[in-house]
Amino acid sequence: ANIEKAEAIAPKAEIIKNPPLLAEINTPGVKTIEQLCEFLDACKTSVVKTLLLRSEKENGDKKLSAIVLRGDHQLNLLKAEKVLQSHGDLALATKAQIEEFIGCSAGSLGPVDLNIDLFVDHSAAALGSFVCGANKEDLHLTGVCWDRDCPPFKVADLRNVMNGDPSPDGVGKLKIARGIEVGHIFQLGKKYSSLMRATVSNEAGQETPMYMGCYGIGVGRLAAASIEQNHDNNGIIWPESIAPFQIAIIPINLHKSATVKECSENMYKELMLAGYDVLFMDLEKMRLGNMLSDVELIGIPHRLVIGERGLNNGQVEYRHRSRDDNEPLAIGTVLSFIKQQVNRHSPPLHL
């Protein structure tokens, strides 16, 4: 699942036989969870943070609600939007709104005596006692207990998952990794089949709308995924299966040397007839360094450099895009060598 949808499993509730006394602590200048934990020498897992959000109802009215998370967790706006049943953009309340409705800054908010709808994340609701804001400027409360000190609230999954959280299937732990969506599947249900009267016979012989779905592959995203996984400081290293050209022919001083021109054109024709996609860098007076840089930037897997000095020895120069060293090849062996090399060094594409 992506981070917006991954489910956070509710932990077991802490049971405290002797609840601590509720105490109000003066916390001048303390505005963040980090500052509060340092000031009280407390752990983030024993502190809660309260967020005020503005949601939009179906009739267009705006409403303030409070969401409470454990100090080490982050709000998941998509989950909150669903829980609050917001029909518009969900947003954090402004500083002015918090001061108008609560009478303190955001850093002093807490669930005790809060006179608005209250939603608490599973992990925060499992705490036996906790530290929170007192809804008074520069004051916090310690020893707070949900049932004893807070108004009624609803419990829901409201946070982003973290590395090491238990997996929703009960097997192992969650691991967060970066990824690129290169395709997707949509479950359409019976919405469109009902409209189109696309039906099938069920087991009872009755006509019923069929379930529908569709899928798509993002061609542009496939290219992006490949480039992200296969590149260096000089540019792209395409896997051969999707490279724009398999081979680049780079002649040196094409406009000055008839020998170089003839060999380059013959090799181009030979490789094309063999079924390869070949880029012939035949621009006159283009410098060798520029041609080499362009071929590296484009990411062509195989390159052949043809110069008069090499031809005098019956050779051309070969290099694979992923290597740092050149390799001399006898002119008569180029085609057989290329046949051996194609797909041999191509990096895999992980999706």
Side-chain angles (χ1 to χ4, degrees), residues 23-25 102 104 107-113 132-141:
E24 191 174 81
I25 306 296
I102 310 299
C104 65
S108 297
L109 288 174
V112 177
D113 296 330
C132 67
N135 295 323
K136 301 174 186 177
E137 195 63 24
D138 291 335
L139 292 173
H140 282 78
L141 300 173

Side-chain angles (χ1 to χ4, degrees), residues 43-113:
C43 180
K44 285 185 178 181
T45 57
S46 64
V47 174
V48 303
K49 53 187 173 185
T50 303
L51 307 173
L52 258 58
L53 281 84
R54 289 178 294 133
S55 58
E56 185 175 320
K57 298 306 174 184
E58 195 170 4
N59 60 4
D61 290 344
K62 306 286 186 180
K63 184 176 182 179
L64 273 182
S65 302
I67 285 183
V68 181
L69 302 168
R70 208 170 69 185
D72 58 330
H73 291 155
Q74 298 299 319
L75 175 66
N76 184 309
L77 277 174
L78 195 65
K79 293 179 181 179
E81 192 173 89
K82 184 177 180 180
V83 170
L84 297 180
Q85 299 179 345
S86 179
H87 290 264
D89 291 337
L90 197 64
L92 290 171
T94 64
K95 180 180 179 181
Q97 288 171 330
I98 295 172
E99 291 179 348
E100 178 185 353
F101 284 93
I102 310 299
C104 65
S105 64
S108 297
L109 288 174
V112 177
D113 296 330

Side-chain angles (χ1 to χ4, degrees), residues 220-237:
R221 291 186 177 189
L222 282 171
S226 176
I227 293 170
E228 184 177 62
Q229 295 173 50
N230 304 292
H231 68 276
D232 59 18
N233 292 333
N234 296 321
I236 305 167
I237 306 176

Side-chain angles (χ1 to χ4, degrees), residues 299-314:
I300 301 174
H302 308 277
R303 84 179 188 201
L304 296 166
V305 177
I306 301 173
E308 204 164 58
R309 183 183 301 176
L311 293 179
N312 290 336
N313 297 320

Side-chain angles (χ1 to χ4, degrees), residues 56-236:
E56 185 175 320
K57 298 306 174 184
E58 195 170 4
N59 60 4
D61 290 344
K62 306 286 186 180
K63 184 176 182 179
L64 273 182
S65 302
I67 285 183
V68 181
L69 302 168
R70 208 170 69 185
D72 58 330
H73 291 155
Q74 298 299 319
L75 175 66
N76 184 309
L77 277 174
L78 195 65
K79 293 179 181 179
E81 192 173 89
K82 184 177 180 180
V83 170
L84 297 180
Q85 299 179 345
S86 179
H87 290 264
D89 291 337
L90 197 64
L92 290 171
T94 64
K95 180 180 179 181
Q97 288 171 330
I98 295 172
E99 291 179 348
E100 178 185 353
F101 284 93
I102 310 299
C104 65
S105 64
S108 297
L109 288 174
V112 177
D113 296 330
L114 201 57
N115 194 26
I116 57 175
D117 287 346
L118 185 61
F119 299 85
V120 181
D121 179 70
H122 288 301
S123 298
L127 295 175
S129 68
F130 53 88
V131 178
C132 67
N135 295 323
K136 301 174 186 177
E137 195 63 24
D138 291 335
L139 292 173
H140 282 78
L141 300 173
T142 61
V144 183
C145 298
W146 288 112
D147 294 337
R148 185 190 66 191
D149 305 315
C150 299
F153 56 89
K154 295 180 181 178
V155 179
D157 177 15
L158 292 163
R159 69 176 178 91
N160 288 331
V161 296
M162 299 172 62
N163 270 316
D165 279 346
S167 173
D169 62 7
V171 181
K173 296 181 179 181
L174 295 182
K175 179 181 178 182
I176 296 176
R178 295 183 66 246
I180 297 176
E181 179 189 342
V182 296
H184 45 227
I185 298 172
F186 292 108
Q187 298 184 43
L188 303 177
K190 297 181 178 180
K191 178 178 180 180
Y192 298 104
S193 59
S194 297
L195 294 173
M196 296 186 292
R197 297 179 182 176
T199 62
V200 293
S201 296
N202 61 20
E203 293 177 352
Q206 299 170 334
E207 294 295 314
T208 181
M210 64 180 69
Y211 283 96
M212 292 180 63
C214 62
Y215 69 92
I217 298 294
V219 177
R221 291 186 177 189
L222 282 171
S226 176
I227 293 170
E228 184 177 62
Q229 295 173 50
N230 304 292
H231 68 276
D232 59 18
N233 292 333
N234 296 321
I236 305 167

